[in-house]
Amino acid sequence: MANQKYDAFLTVARLGSFKAAAEELGYTQAGISYLVNALEKELGLTLFLREYGGVHLTTEGREVLGLVQAINADEHALAARVRELADREGGLVRVGAFTSVAIEWFPSIARAFLDQYPKIDLKLLCIDDEEELVNAVWEGRADCAFSIAPERRNLEAVPLHTDPLLVVLPPDHPLAGAPFFPTEALAREPYVQLQGNARPSEMEALFEANGVTPNVRFTVDSDYAVMSMVSAGLGFSVLPSLILSRPLFPLAVLPAERECSREISLAVRSREAASAATRAFAEVTREWVAARYAS
């Protein structure tokens, strides 16, 4: 029931490549080209400029992109609901999550969920870029996602947990045993910045809360690379408490002088339109997180 032409169009638009879209969707490149050509013929529009080194949306393609995303998400939701009606105990929930949740929460949540709903399958999509994460829900590639910024796509969200942002230092740093990391040190000392897809992470909120600009020495796109570099004495960084539950490298961890946190929610495009399986996953998740952090 979901439209393969829409899936092909949206994936090519997101990746900028017929070849990459074919690999992600499990088609041949010729198959993706056929689907896009068929959609262009159906709409009477040229959606892409085919150029050496990649493809780009035309003006008309950009105009219809949002509408196709909305229609495609609705068709995926309809297909999921029809599957539920055929087998009310079955279904599939596609869950988006960033690294810390995927490691620290998802395995236990999945176990609790499957104990209650053994006939429902779970698919985990690991996406560390927040904008890509909410887009996956908005476009219907994920049924729900653990998110810190659901408002970017006006998604409906179930609040789950307030996760502190903490300063990480080499274990032999002079401030390693201090009660907090001073504001002046946030601006002065070399900073190992976590950044993905050319966008700063939510960790930058801590610097805003302290009214300083960091002295960025390195920029990397992996939490664990950040930990390794800090542990080696290349600077300090800021990471969420959740990823620091079981650090892989020796680190000193302390709050900033003015503390800051991020809010983790489970986001869906619409609670009303969400499948029964997705709603069940949301409820199990809410109960599990509440029990884990009960005082």
Side-chain angles (χ1 to χ4, degrees):
M1 190 171 295
N3 193 312
Q4 294 172 312
K5 296 190 293 291
Y6 292 165
D7 284 337
F9 167 60
L10 294 173
T11 306
V12 173
R14 176 165 53 85
L15 299 177
S17 164
F18 281 85
K19 180 180 179 182
E23 292 173 353
E24 180 168 309
L25 295 176
Y27 289 92
T28 63
Q29 187 170 338
I32 290 293
S33 295
Y34 173 81
L35 291 170
V36 171
N37 290 338
L39 181 59
E40 289 180 321
K41 184 176 180 180
E42 181 181 311
L43 298 177
L45 299 171
T46 300
L47 300 174
F48 292 106
L49 294 173
R50 281 79 165 171
E51 299 177 342
Y52 179 77
V55 296
H56 307 280
L57 286 168
T58 61
T59 300
E60 292 81 5
R62 289 193 297 271
E63 288 287 335
V64 302
L65 179 64
L67 294 172
V68 174
Q69 288 173 338
I71 294 169
N72 193 55
D74 287 341
E75 291 198 355
H76 277 287
L78 176 59
R81 185 59 58 86
V82 169
R83 289 194 299 268
E84 285 178 15
L85 293 174
D87 180 4
R88 290 181 179 271
E89 293 184 347
L92 168 68
V93 183
R94 299 163 299 165
V95 183
F98 42 86
T99 297
S100 53
V101 165
I103 293 172
E104 297 297 332
W105 284 7
F106 186 78
S108 295
I109 292 172
R111 187 182 304 113
F113 179 76
L114 295 174
D115 283 346
Q116 294 185 48
Y117 303 97
K119 294 185 179 181
I120 298 178
D121 294 326
L122 293 175
K123 179 179 181 180
L124 177 64
L125 308 174
C126 293
I127 305 172
D128 275 320
D129 183 79
E130 179 65 23
E131 187 166 329
E132 176 62 17
L133 195 61
V134 295
N135 281 344
V137 178
W138 182 257
E139 296 168 8
R141 291 181 283 120
D143 299 299
C144 59
F146 293 91
S147 172
I148 57 153
E151 70 280 357
R152 289 188 183 182
R153 274 296 192 174
N154 198 29
L155 302 176
E156 296 187 36
V158 178
L160 295 174
H161 178 60
T162 300
D163 189 30
L165 302 181
L166 299 172
V167 175
V168 290
L169 303 170
D172 58 354
H173 191 282
L175 293 172
F180 58 81
F181 196 64
T183 297
E184 60 86 16
L186 284 175
R188 171 176 48 82
E189 299 217 6
Y191 176 51
V192 182
Q193 181 185 56
L194 177 64
Q195 178 171 302
N197 285 355
R199 287 185 291 271
S201 71
E202 68 272 17
M203 308 312 150
E204 306 311 300
L206 185 138
F207 296 96
E208 294 175 9
N210 282 268
V212 298
T213 300
N215 174 25
V216 178
R217 174 180 285 178
F218 300 101
T219 300
V220 295
D221 64 0
S222 163
D223 302 275
Y224 294 108
V226 166
M227 293 184 197
S228 176
M229 295 175 74
V230 170
S231 185
L234 295 173
F236 80 96
S237 193
V238 176
L239 290 172
S241 173
L242 193 55
I243 198 68
L244 295 169
S245 299
R246 291 178 289 178
L248 298 181
F249 305 91
L251 296 168
V253 180
L254 58 156
E257 186 168 354
R258 295 189 185 94
E259 297 184 21
C260 188
S261 61
R262 63 178 185 173
E263 301 296 325
I264 303 177
S265 300
L266 188 72
V268 296
R269 191 165 188 215
S270 165
R271 295 188 200 184
E272 182 178 350
S275 68
T278 300
R279 293 196 300 272
F281 180 81
E283 182 59 22
V284 170
T285 296
R286 186 191 62 78
E287 292 175 353
W288 183 89
V289 174
R292 170 166 174 159
Y293 295 100
S295 55

